[in-house]
Amino acid sequence: MKQHHLSIRSKSSVALAITLLLQTSCWAQTPATATNTAVTRYDNTLEIFQPVIRTGGMVASEQHLASSAGAEMLRAGGNAVDAAVAVGFALAVVLPNAGNLGGGGFMLIHDAKTKSNVALDFREIAPANASRDMYLDTSGKVIEGKSTRTPYSVGIPGSVAGLTQALAEHGSLPLAQVIAPAIKLASEGFAVSPVLAELFLIQRTHLERWPATRAAFFKHIDSSQTCALDQCPLSAIRTYQAGEKLVQKDLAQTLTIISNQGAQGFYTGTVAEKIVNSLKGADQPLTLADLAQYKTEVRKPVEGQYRGVQILSMPPPSSGGIHLIQMLNLLERYPLKQYGSGSAQSIHLMAESARLAYADRAEHLGDPAFVKVPQAGLISKKYADELSVKINPQRMTPSAQVKAGNPVPYESDQTTHFSVMDAQGNVVSCTYTLNLSFGSGIVAAGTGVLLNNEMDDFSVKPGVPNAFGLVGGDANAVAPGKRPLSSMTPVILMRDGKPWIATGSPGGARIITTVLQNIVNVIDFDMNIAEAASVPRMHHQWTPDFIRVERGYSPDTIKLLESMGHTVKVMPTMGRIQTVQRTGNLFMGASDPRNPDGAPVGIDQNK
Ligand code: GLY
């Protein structure tokens, strides 16, 4: 159910939007060129992809019901943080494969009142009982699936702490008001979309293993069956189908407890006890003490500049911000605009930049509380000068010949993203996750809370790839109290000191390159945010050594890349970008068409 801005645009607002959008996209051009481009590029009869445009604020998320929950807060006089927190809780209900209470994430906030930028880190944390070799057998071999689909895969969840802290420190509405739409969606139910029905089906074998998960997300095949869902034979139950109403009473109850008691209602008391008991077996992977000690960290966003635009993103324990800026620093030296969007030359340069960045990721990145991450070096322009020598503009360099660089001398598919802007100038860019689709697949009995499998984001053994094919070493080894390395890349772009665009994406290892291309599409290739989110994407991550592309690049382009030495594989789509943009008093929103459930929902200013 996408909103279409055309219905709300008068002729004059179209003209204004065209002018403002043009100013937005052609910032690097001379005014004369910009004016000429305006006539052809932003005439809405010529644009294939269109953002939603409103005048009072904008929310973009992967589920239109959650976007609407956020817009409801803006309409009630709340700010972008109120709206974002409402979206975060609502997604835990309507996007159970990634939205969550039982996972963790990162939220970038631009606070208009204090003109400050903060990065809230509510990443999951390894429990006190975790240990470096916990996923290896006695012969040192990785135990298949232990870090992804067992109680040992669950990190201490951070989402409830993060969302409530964001609201307390930067919001303006009471928690009960912000969480109310989520409670309503859980207790009254919502219609399962074809996309969600398909995801349930794909993940059935993971979900059906856990009795409480069967009770939450399965139905009787024959409605006259009387067995309790968590005890029925598997042959008697099925997943929800498109159009059926999914009611989550236990989750509604947990949300109500959080609404009444705040984060404490999740991290202590009956909810915490139920989570701990659900994971208990021969031993206790997660304890009440682990939950009670969870703490959100307030960090300083990592900052860079790309062709005059200020980039703000997430610092470690995410690798996203650092490597996004590192790749942009490398790409800045090439005339990408001249090479063109989707050209073999542009794809080659992005792939080679990614190859270098992901090699550094594997070596240098981890939780900054445990390892010294050479952040300033990795994002410095001088380090990019040194690295750029390793890029042959005409030929790929095999990953076997690429090792992590030394930035120290320069020291000075299932996650989801949502973005919000309000009329006061506040901005939120938030990516949070359960890690894989539906996380560990374990619902904590009696809570409706699906638990993450974020422990797989640690390097379970040096050199052994995780579920995203990423390798790591000591810097990202498991340790109690440590946060696993992430690729989540929430971004705020600032122009002339003012927030311009907030964006981000799910996609595991592919998040960083997805966000990179989104930024390059807008800044170098003059795309509006809807087009930038829609065109085909590529990805390279050093190892395995091939360029992964979505369908949509021409066979000629792929042949050219192969002639440069690349192996190119056409594979399923990557990422689901959610972007909001402010230009003057207009708010644009775009949800990636790769998930048709997503939608930008905006509000108009009362005039
Ligand atoms: N779980 C995916 C990430 O954090 O990068």
Side-chain angles (χ1 to χ4, degrees), residues 104 106 123-124 317-319 361 413-415 431 433-436 453-454 456-457 466 468 470 484-489 507-509 511:
F106 303 125
R123 181 74 161 161
E124 298 90 332
S318 185
S319 60
R361 183 189 190 280
D413 212 309
Q414 284 281 331
T415 296
T431 316
T433 184
L434 287 167
N435 194 27
L436 302 184
N453 56 357
E454 215 67 60
D456 191 60
D457 269 349
N466 74 359
F468 298 109
L470 289 167
L485 184 59
S486 171
S487 300
M488 292 189 285
T489 315
I511 293 174

Side-chain angles (χ1 to χ4, degrees), residues 160 230 527:
V160 175
D230 55 354
M527 294 182 193

Side-chain angles (χ1 to χ4, degrees), residues 27-57:
W27 59 273
Q29 301 183 347
T30 62
T33 317
T35 311
N36 289 340
T37 321
V39 179
T40 50
R41 289 219 62 256
Y42 289 108
D43 179 328
N44 68 18
T45 59
L46 296 181
E47 292 286 300
I48 298 173
F49 302 100
Q50 302 273 348
V52 167
I53 305 184
R54 303 294 292 264
T55 58

